[in-house]
Amino acid sequence: MTFTRHLKSRLPSAVRSLILQKKPNIRNMFSMARGLQPASVVVLPRSLAPAFEKFCQVNSGPLPLLGQSEPGKWTLPALDAVPGTRTGCPQFWKYEFGTCTGSLTSLNESSEQLKDMVAFLLGSSFSLEGAWEKGGLPRRDSAGHGHMGAYKTEVPCTTIAGFCCPLVVTMRPVPKDKLERLVQTCYSLGSEHGQPVHIDDPEPLSIKDLSKPDFGEPVVCQPGHVPVWPSQLTSLEAVSACKMPLAFTSAPGCTVMTDLKGTTAPARCPTPEGMPEVHHISQDPLHCNMASASVAQKIREQEMIIAIDPGSRGIGHLLRPGELLRASLSLSHARSMLLTTGFPTPLNHEPPEETDGPPGAVALAAFLQALKKRVSMAVDQRALNLHKNLVDEAVQVDGSTLCLYFQGVLKRQIPILTYQGRLAEAAQAFLCRDGNPKSPRFDHLVAIERAGGAADGNYYNTRKRNIKHVVDPIDDLFLAVQKIPGISSPGVGDRGNELGIGKVKEAVKRHIRNGDIIACDVETDFAVIAGVSNWGGYALACVLYILNSCEVHRRYLRKAVGPFRAPGEQNWTQALPSITKEEKMLGILVQHGVRSGVSGTLGMEGGLPFHGTHAQMSQKLVDITMAQGQRLNMIGHKVAGEIGHEVAGEIGHEVAGEIGHEVAEALSPAFQDRTRDGAAQLAADDPHAPSGLIPTLNKQPRRTRQPQRVPWSQRGCAAAQTQGPMAQVHRPLQQPEAPALAKWAAAIEQAQAWLRPARG
């Protein structure tokens, strides 16, 4: 009987004994040693053990901690009450002050030094072989008998004390048609190690040459296979960077077999909430992304909602299911984006801009800012000053006590750029530093309701009128990026003559009125179709929130290093679109003479009623976004009633509701995770709540309604400086009630300060 067959017939404890006896061929034996898994060993001074343990916990993807010994003891306790594993291993590396000074076949010769040291067992990426076999996939080994190549990246692990190092990865080629099956099998095993941290081109990891690994031997990725990058050997870099006087680690490719199961999670039953899906985003360069099945489904729902056709124009024929999901997965990885909007339609008016486009672009920009991404905007030269004014006013925040209501639509300024070049060289010079395609300024170009060139080189509105004389050739930038690797381009449109909708131009020609003439000829990587283009911008902002609230996606985005941060800690909720923000943006556009592209009137885009159509769409998108355990209106319904209708009282139901909604929207991220019973109950339960908060919430000033409408400024409130649809209310504030209103405003400010630690 061969040694392999002999191992398979033995119990785990007997297999462990054979390993300690250093029998041959004990490397990479996950499939042979049933009940055991490979692990690597790190031994370091007792004084550094707490910091290293925390370092592993924070970076659990590359450093899955299975167990640790007591100082000076060789036995590692099993976390599941199975007898422990002694650290017999064929080879170790010895480190002195961060430098590898030699290799050892055993640690017995260093027993005296080990008395004041702690041994850690970490999960090894060799366990991926078990996931392959569990999923019915063939195991792949590197050429020859050496260790499979591993590479240092420029992805930093989260630093704890003196432990700071980059992520180390190894490449495992996987057949493309079996990739998702492998990922889901790894997920079902419960542990993080072995799950991929990167599935595409190595350039984002700053790996320049696959033929030159930092450890082991290179692996060639055959055609039809995609590189999967499980984390590996990061512990060696951590030990080296810490520069401790003495440490030992398992040498690359050398593991012990253990029955420790780790502290992460037991094997999981697949559920839509956690089951990962792999989505192919682009081919050159290869780019994939991951999200849970439930999140992907929620985004598909958003796509169908915005694709309703209020004008029965036939846009349903343009819809390509999955484009919103792929566009958002691509945007989630972005670092620097150039947005563009502007479709001059009311040509008989000045300016000839329409109200569809800018609100959607600004809403997307606001959420991208919340995600800490760089955002710029390109517009027509003739409309440069207009858009600068729009952005300035969208950023303005009233300095009064009621700033919760009068907050700006944008957090900060957006650089406004123009492009008028007509040559390919000019486009490349605009997009790339020094014109070098290997150094692009932007990694994404996004068009929302932007005029797109037709096949004859002209630009047409839906009435077949040529508007080329008022449109700059910004679509040339989108043509140029098709030849610059690493730049992606989503486009949003609602009729087929918008930039990017050239991806479905044949459907436009067949199903859209005048489509054979007006169809845009310029494609983008993703074509998002919406009944109104603004809805597409709102949807992109919402689905980015959904994605960044998804544990599967966040793990992949952060390469499994660092802690997962919940949405409430990011204050992303306040950056979402809202009815109030949309109405404020409309007010700004109307003040500058921007009109509906359909009716030519000073009003909301598309000739559709704001409160009957657009407001409902905004609210529906946000409601779906917040549906999984984070209801935006949880406090809205309660506090809007208490703060809005009681504090604002009979000032006017419209204003009361709006103020209450804005207060609820601003406070809800902190309240959501701490109570489901409303603001007053939360304050009552918290001994640290401001003493005046509960009476202020429950006993609000009452007012008598007057028929006239008077600006806030005439009622003793500095917030009245804001102009717009909500700047006037039904009656003047009576002088005796001013102190009560001021007291309420002060209580809200106090509540904000109280809640700030909960928001992170």
Side-chain angles (χ1 to χ4, degrees):
M1 182 167 56
T2 64
F3 182 73
T4 299
R5 291 175 58 195
H6 178 60
L7 276 180
K8 287 185 176 181
S9 67
R10 305 295 293 271
L11 295 173
S13 59
V15 174
R16 182 162 55 250
S17 299
L18 289 172
I19 293 171
L20 293 173
Q21 294 168 22
K22 303 177 184 177
K23 295 291 182 181
N25 300 323
I26 63 175
R27 191 178 298 173
N28 303 343
M29 297 189 334
F30 186 98
S31 62
M32 294 181 285
R34 293 178 180 176
L36 303 183
Q37 63 172 316
S40 59
V41 180
V42 174
V43 184
L44 41 73
R46 179 205 304 221
S47 61
L48 295 174
F52 186 72
E53 180 182 11
K54 188 174 181 181
F55 182 69
C56 294
Q57 291 169 347
V58 173
N59 301 287
S60 59
L63 299 166
L65 183 59
L66 301 180
Q68 66 185 83
S69 72
E70 295 294 328
K73 295 184 179 180
W74 286 71
T75 302
L76 288 156
L79 301 179
D80 57 357
V82 177
T85 301
R86 292 178 61 83
T87 56
C89 186
Q91 191 174 12
F92 294 92
W93 280 2
K94 180 179 180 180
Y95 284 85
E96 295 178 283
F97 297 100
T99 302
C100 181
T101 57
S103 60
L104 308 169
T105 57
S106 170
L107 293 182
N108 288 326
E109 57 193 68
S110 305
S111 56
E112 194 63 31
Q113 297 168 299
L114 292 169
K115 288 182 178 179
D116 198 37
M117 303 186 80
V118 176
F120 291 84
L121 273 187
L122 304 174
S124 167
S125 67
F126 284 115
S127 61
L128 183 60
E129 310 291 348
W132 281 3
E133 293 185 354
K134 185 178 179 65
L137 303 173
R139 190 181 67 178
R140 295 181 62 92
D141 294 313
S142 61
H145 300 286
H147 171 55
M148 208 171 281
Y151 306 81
K152 298 179 185 178
T153 73
E154 292 186 4
V155 177
C157 293
T158 297
T159 299
I160 299 294
F163 293 100
C164 57
C165 68
L167 175 69
V168 180
V169 297
T170 185
M171 188 179 82
R172 301 293 182 90
V174 177
K176 187 175 180 180
D177 60 343
K178 294 181 170 62
L179 177 59
E180 187 164 84
R181 183 179 179 183
L182 172 62
V183 169
Q184 293 179 350
T185 300
C186 290
Y187 168 80
S188 66
L189 293 178
S191 178
E192 277 202 64
H193 67 284
Q195 294 187 48
V197 297
H198 192 68
I199 311 174
D200 47 39
D201 185 75
E203 183 66 26
L205 299 178
S206 300
I207 299 174
K208 306 298 183 183
D209 191 347
L210 292 178
S211 67
K212 298 179 180 179
D214 295 288
F215 306 97
E217 300 177 358
V219 177
V220 178
C221 190
Q222 301 294 337
H225 290 56
V226 294
V228 179
W229 303 83
S231 52
Q232 165 72 349
L233 300 180
T234 304
S235 58
L236 274 65
E237 287 299 299
V239 169
S240 177
C242 191
K243 301 186 183 302
M244 61 195 78
L246 180 67
F248 302 92
T249 69
S250 297
C254 298
T255 61
V256 298
M257 305 303 292
T258 178
D259 48 21
L260 295 176
K261 304 301 182 184
T263 59
T264 52
R268 291 175 281 213
C269 295
T271 62
E273 288 72 23
M275 179 59 74
E277 290 183 357
V278 178
H279 297 272
H280 182 258
I281 305 302
S282 66
Q283 184 58 42
D284 186 19
L286 179 64
H287 180 33
C288 298
N289 210 324
M290 292 174 59
S292 71
S294 62
V295 160
Q297 180 57 34
K298 183 184 284 191
I299 294 174
R300 294 185 186 103
E301 292 175 15
Q302 298 269 40
E303 183 174 51
M304 298 308 296
I305 289 171
I306 64 172
I308 65 170
D309 190 353
S312 300
R313 294 157 293 175
I315 65 170
H317 297 286
L318 313 185
L319 181 65
R320 285 193 175 186
E323 290 288 278
L324 179 63
L325 174 60
R326 294 174 62 239
S328 58
L329 285 167
S330 183
L331 281 171
S332 188
H333 276 270
R335 296 182 298 274
S336 178
M337 277 147 292
L338 179 69
L339 305 183
T340 184
T341 189
F343 203 126
T345 298
L347 298 179
N348 297 327
H349 300 277
E350 183 59 37
E353 311 306 312
E354 67 166 327
T355 50
D356 191 16
V362 169
L364 176 58
F367 199 80
L368 292 171
Q369 286 182 342
L371 294 177
K372 303 188 183 304
K373 300 181 187 294
R374 298 189 300 273
V375 184
S376 302
M377 185 179 292
V379 300
D380 295 313
Q381 176 66 43
R382 56 164 185 78
L384 177 61
N385 290 333
L386 170 65
H387 283 88
K388 284 184 175 180
N389 290 334
L390 296 178
V391 168
D392 285 344
E393 294 180 31
V395 173
Q396 287 178 4
V397 179
D398 189 275
S400 72
T401 342
L402 294 178
C403 61
L404 280 174
Y405 175 65
F406 295 101
Q407 60 183 315
V409 178
L410 286 169
K411 282 290 185 182
R412 54 186 179 274
Q413 290 284 346
I414 300 174
I416 307 296
L417 312 175
T418 62
Y419 174 79
Q420 295 178 290
R422 293 278 178 184
L423 302 175
E425 294 79 6
Q428 185 165 303
F430 181 91
L431 293 169
C432 305
R433 299 178 184 88
D434 301 321
N436 181 3
K438 295 184 178 180
S439 182
R441 290 188 174 91
F442 314 101
D443 50 42
H444 281 74
L445 270 60
V446 185
I448 299 178
E449 189 65 19
R450 171 69 197 178
D456 62 3
N458 293 317
Y459 300 79
Y460 296 97
N461 63 19
T462 56
R463 302 175 183 87
K464 300 189 294 184
R465 185 172 178 180
N466 189 355
I467 59 173
K468 185 174 182 177
H469 61 289
V470 289
V471 176
D472 290 341
I474 290 176
D475 47 348
D476 286 354
L477 300 176
F478 287 74
L479 291 171
V481 301
Q482 296 175 6
K483 300 178 181 179
I484 303 177
I487 303 181
S488 298
S489 57
V492 179
D494 57 18
R495 289 179 184 267
N497 55 350
E498 300 88 2
L499 177 54
I501 311 304
K503 186 171 183 179
V504 291
K505 60 187 174 185
E506 295 306 320
V508 174
K509 293 176 182 179
R510 288 194 303 269
H511 300 287
I512 301 298
R513 183 183 177 187
N514 300 323
D516 56 333
I517 296 175
I518 71 172
C520 175
D521 198 52
V522 182
E523 298 185 19
T524 49
D525 294 321
F526 319 104
V528 178
I529 305 300
V532 176
S533 292
N534 278 341
W535 300 351
Y538 304 152
L540 281 170
C542 288
V543 298
L544 283 172
Y545 177 96
I546 294 172
L547 279 175
N548 283 274
S549 304
C550 170
E551 185 175 356
V552 171
H553 180 71
R554 287 293 299 170
R555 180 190 183 277
Y556 187 77
L557 204 62
R558 58 188 170 87
K559 308 304 178 192
V561 297
F564 175 83
R565 292 190 292 267
E569 296 175 348
Q570 305 291 339
N571 285 327
W572 293 334
T573 305
Q574 295 183 36
L576 284 170
S578 70
I579 296 174
T580 304
K581 291 179 184 178
E582 187 178 10
E583 193 170 15
K584 179 174 181 178
M585 197 65 207
L586 168 63
I588 294 172
L589 290 168
V590 169
Q591 289 172 23
H592 288 276
V594 179
R595 298 171 179 267
S596 164
V598 174
S599 64
T601 59
L602 287 172
M604 200 55 184
E605 73 280 352
L608 302 171
F610 174 72
H611 288 288
T613 303
H614 297 290
Q616 289 182 9
M617 176 60 70
S618 298
Q619 191 61 53
K620 191 169 187 177
L621 291 173
V622 173
D623 285 345
I624 292 176
T625 299
M626 306 298 293
Q628 286 186 334
Q630 297 184 9
R631 296 172 55 202
L632 177 63
N633 289 327
M634 183 191 70
I635 293 185
H637 291 297
K638 193 172 186 69
V639 180
E642 294 177 0
I643 293 180
H645 287 78
E646 292 188 26
V647 174
E650 278 89 19
I651 291 178
H653 290 289
E654 186 180 31
V655 176
E658 290 294 334
I659 292 178
H661 175 79
E662 277 299 296
V663 170
E665 185 179 76
L667 297 183
S668 60
F671 279 107
Q672 285 161 357
D673 294 333
R674 301 181 61 178
T675 185
R676 304 189 68 86
D677 298 324
Q681 183 63 46
L682 176 61
D685 292 343
D686 194 327
H688 302 292
S691 58
L693 179 60
I694 301 174
T696 308
L697 288 172
N698 293 333
K699 298 178 181 179
Q700 307 300 344
R702 312 295 288 182
R703 298 167 178 79
T704 303
R705 182 180 300 178
Q706 300 290 334
Q708 63 266 41
R709 297 174 63 85
V710 181
W712 277 90
S713 56
Q714 295 181 25
R715 298 186 303 136
C717 181
Q721 302 302 321
T722 298
Q723 298 180 3
M726 306 310 299
Q728 295 188 347
V729 292
H730 291 290
R731 60 164 204 87
L733 179 69
Q734 297 177 6
Q735 189 64 30
E737 293 170 339
L741 183 60
K743 182 179 179 181
W744 165 74
I748 292 300
E749 286 188 333
Q750 195 177 14
Q752 282 186 285
W754 168 54
L755 292 168
R756 199 165 291 124
R759 294 178 180 172

